[in-house]
Amino acid sequence: DIEHKILHLVRGEDKKEQKDVFAPLSIDDVLSARREVLDIHMSDAVEEWRSNKYASSVFLLLGAPGIGKSCFAANQLHYNPNVICGVFCEWDKESQKDAKNIIKTIAFKLATKLPDYRKILLTKFECRGTDFIQALGAADLFEQILIQPLSELIDGGRDKKIIVIDGLDEAG
């Protein structure tokens, strides 16, 4: 199959086969298979990063437009069990022009997946009401509804989870 042929080429195995491999393939097949090979290697890199307790808390994936970063991010969101939530920013979405909306979206999505985080947020809102968040700037909001509540959950008994944010440069 095509994935096996491309993996064969990437590894440099069986040089005499290289001439024959690309002959029956369309350029779309080759590009698709190359993307799948890259996804495999990137998935391995993400898992290596996630499982390294000494690694940075941020995994930044950079690349030229159209290279497949969003496809990879969507694939991770749907198939990587360690991805807990994802936000896909788009330049033409009015709601994403304000960082506070993105922060609130992440908080909401985390609250749907982490019952203990949800409980901390609900307790905070019961004590202070929800209006207090309207007066906060983006940095303070990030601190109040993400950093501070999540820091209360650090007990050493959890695997590192991943939050995917795609196209952050497209948000206002």
Side-chain angles (χ1 to χ4, degrees):
D1 79 350
I2 190 165
E3 291 173 33
H4 182 266
K5 289 179 180 182
I6 296 296
L7 278 172
H8 222 53
L9 285 175
V10 168
R11 292 183 184 137
E13 299 167 351
D14 204 0
K15 301 283 187 201
K16 67 179 177 162
E17 241 184 74
Q18 288 183 5
K19 212 185 318 176
D20 299 333
V21 172
F22 287 107
L25 303 177
S26 73
I27 190 67
D28 290 335
D29 289 338
V30 172
L31 292 175
S32 173
R34 279 190 176 164
R35 180 156 288 142
E36 288 175 32
V37 170
L38 287 173
D39 282 351
I40 291 166
H41 289 295
M42 285 304 304
S43 294
D44 290 346
V46 167
E47 181 55 26
E48 185 177 315
W49 162 79
R50 188 195 68 80
S51 61
N52 180 347
K53 66 181 183 178
Y54 301 109
S56 165
S57 57
V58 175
F59 184 97
L60 185 61
L61 178 59
L62 299 172
I67 200 166
K69 299 178 301 295
S70 295
C71 288
F72 177 75
N75 184 286
Q76 288 293 295
L77 179 62
H78 289 285
Y79 298 110
N80 185 337
N82 294 303
V83 174
I84 198 159
C85 80
V87 176
F88 290 79
C89 301
E90 298 176 56
W91 67 271
D92 61 343
K93 299 286 187 208
E94 195 62 37
S95 64
Q96 295 176 347
K97 293 191 186 300
D98 184 357
K100 291 171 56 171
N101 289 337
I102 296 170
I103 293 166
K104 288 187 257 182
T105 299
I106 293 169
F108 173 79
K109 289 182 176 194
L110 288 175
T112 66
K113 300 285 181 122
L114 301 171
D116 45 355
Y117 171 74
R118 180 174 53 248
K119 185 177 178 182
I120 291 169
L121 279 185
L122 287 174
T123 301
K124 184 181 284 249
F125 293 148
E126 286 171 3
C127 292
R128 298 177 73 180
T130 55
D131 291 339
F132 85 97
I133 64 174
Q134 299 305 325
L136 298 174
D140 289 333
L141 182 65
F142 187 78
E143 178 68 31
Q144 288 291 317
I145 70 171
L146 289 175
I147 299 299
Q148 186 272 325
L150 288 171
S151 69
E152 291 184 33
L153 303 180
I154 298 173
D155 63 1
R158 295 178 196 254
D159 283 341
K160 190 188 296 184
K161 295 297 183 186
I162 300 169
I163 298 171
V164 171
I165 305 173
D166 180 69
L168 193 56
D169 60 323
E170 295 183 25

